[in-house]
Amino acid sequence: TSRKVAVLVGSLRKDSINRKMAKALVAMAPPSLQMAIVEIGQLPLYNQDDDANPPQASRDFKQQIQSSDAVLFITPEYNRSVPGVLKNAIDIASRPYGQSAWDGKPAGVISVSPGAIGGFGANHHLRQSLVFLNMPVLQQPEAYVGGAGDLFDDQGKIKNDSTRQFMEKFLAAYEGWVGKNAK
Ligand code: FNR
C-alpha cells in the first residue's frame, strides 16, 4: 500500500532551505510514500469567529490534510520557536473543536537552519502542539539539520554525503512509522 503524505514547509521564502529539503525528500521518497508539499502561504489568519463558515482557502487546506494519511513537517526556527505561518496552518486545520483534521495522523518533524543547533527550539515547540493534536510523532532519529546554509547544490541535491545518508535513514524510519500508525 502507498500512503499519502502531506509535507508542510514552515517558510514562505522563495529560496528557503527548508523547501529545498522538502523537495529533496520528495525526490528521495520510497514508492510506499506519496509525498507532496501542501502550501500554507495562501491561508488567511485563523479567526475563531469564522469557525461556522471558514474562508474557502482554509476549507481547502483542511480537506487536503483530512485526505492525507500522514504529515511531515519541515520547518525553520524563528526566535527559538515555530514560525507563525506554520502555527497558523496547524490552528486552521484543528478547528472547530472536536473536528480536527490532524487527529491520529502519524507525523515526522525535521528542522533545518543555517545555525549550529539545527532549529531544536522550533522542532520541540512543534512537538508540544502535536501532543495535544493526538498525532503520533516519530521519535528517532531526531532531525535537527544545522549548518544548512550551504547544504544544497544548484540542482537542489544534498551536497554532503553524511547528511544525505542521514536523511535516507530518517525517511526509512518515517516510512516504517507511517506504515505502523496510519489508519
Ligand atoms: C531567523 N533565523 C533563526 N535561526 C535559528 O536557528 N534560530 C532562530 O531562532 C532564528 N530566528 C529567526 C527569526 C526570524 C524572524 C527569521 C527571519 C530568521 C534564521 C533562519 O534560520 C534562516 O533565515 C533560515 O534560512 C530560515 O529558513 P528558510 O527560510 O531558509 O527555510
Side-chain angles (χ1 to χ4, degrees):
T1 49
S2 189
R3 303 294 194 175
K4 206 175 145 193
V5 179
V7 179
L8 268 63
V9 178
S11 169
L12 304 183
R13 195 167 74 89
K14 187 158 51 66
D15 292 325
S16 161
I17 52 177
N18 283 273
R19 183 171 288 264
K20 285 180 186 168
M21 178 62 85
K23 286 184 174 164
L25 294 184
V26 167
M28 286 160 64
S32 66
L33 299 177
Q34 292 171 51
M35 298 194 357
I37 294 175
V38 175
E39 298 297 342
I40 60 174
Q42 77 290 2
L43 294 171
L45 285 178
Y46 174 74
N47 181 337
Q48 198 177 0
D49 289 339
D50 297 332
D51 267 10
N53 191 16
Q56 191 60 46
S58 301
R59 288 174 192 268
D60 292 346
F61 174 70
K62 190 173 178 185
Q63 176 51 42
Q64 282 182 289
I65 299 304
Q66 251 149 0
S67 70
S68 301
D69 298 303
V71 185
L72 182 59
F73 296 94
I74 305 179
T75 188
E77 174 175 87
Y78 278 6
N79 300 308
R80 296 282 180 258
S81 187
V82 180
V85 66
L86 179 56
K87 184 60 163 54
N88 184 54
I90 290 170
D91 294 341
I92 284 171
S94 73
R95 289 275 154 164
Y97 183 76
Q99 294 171 49
S100 169
W102 307 108
D103 189 53
K105 293 197 195 290
V109 177
I110 297 167
S111 50
V112 184
S113 172
I117 58 175
F120 174 88
N123 192 306
H124 279 256
H125 274 184
L126 179 54
R127 286 169 190 273
Q128 179 167 323
S129 293
L130 304 187
V131 169
F132 181 70
L133 294 169
N134 190 35
M135 300 177 80
V137 184
L138 177 67
Q139 302 296 329
Q140 293 291 340
E142 298 154 277
Y144 314 108
V145 183
D150 190 35
L151 187 58
F152 299 92
D153 69 18
D154 291 343
Q155 275 72 50
K157 288 225 170 68
I158 299 172
K159 283 199 274 188
N160 176 324
D161 285 342
S162 68
T163 304
R164 195 174 51 251
Q165 283 157 17
F166 173 75
M167 295 320 301
E168 274 162 8
K169 208 172 104 184
F170 179 94
L171 274 181
Y174 180 74
E175 177 190 26
W177 185 248
V178 170
K180 208 161 58 181
N181 290 283
K183 300 262 159 63

